[in-house]
Amino acid sequence: MMDFNGFPFRVWFDSETQQWEAMLLDVPDAFVSAGGSSPEKAIEELRIAWDLCFEGEKKPYPAATTAA
């Protein structure tokens, strides 16, 4: 499974678009989502979107914080 630096993600079927959607939750200063024909494809596309969000950035990928 892809870890997305600890950020949780959600996958659901969108009946309006007739495709699976995947979205990362709680990423600061970014909205990262993608769609695909299956849950696995949506997650694969989400990984590509995650990488593209930070491609060329001088700072590292953000990491999720955990509650104490």
Side-chain angles (χ1 to χ4, degrees):
M1 180 65 67
M2 318 270 177
D3 83 30
F4 299 107
N5 284 18
F7 287 101
F9 62 94
R10 179 178 168 226
V11 179
W12 72 97
F13 185 76
D14 186 330
S15 59
E16 188 173 310
T17 62
Q18 293 295 302
Q19 72 173 4
W20 288 90
E21 303 289 339
M23 179 175 64
L24 283 169
L25 305 173
D26 305 323
V27 178
D29 302 320
F31 178 80
V32 186
S33 67
S37 58
S38 68
E40 295 81 8
K41 185 65 175 171
I43 294 169
E44 179 183 325
E45 293 294 325
L46 187 63
R47 170 53 71 191
I48 293 168
W50 170 252
D51 288 341
L52 288 173
C53 276
F54 298 99
E55 188 175 278
E57 291 283 330
K58 301 295 184 215
K59 59 185 178 183
Y61 286 86
T65 57
T66 57

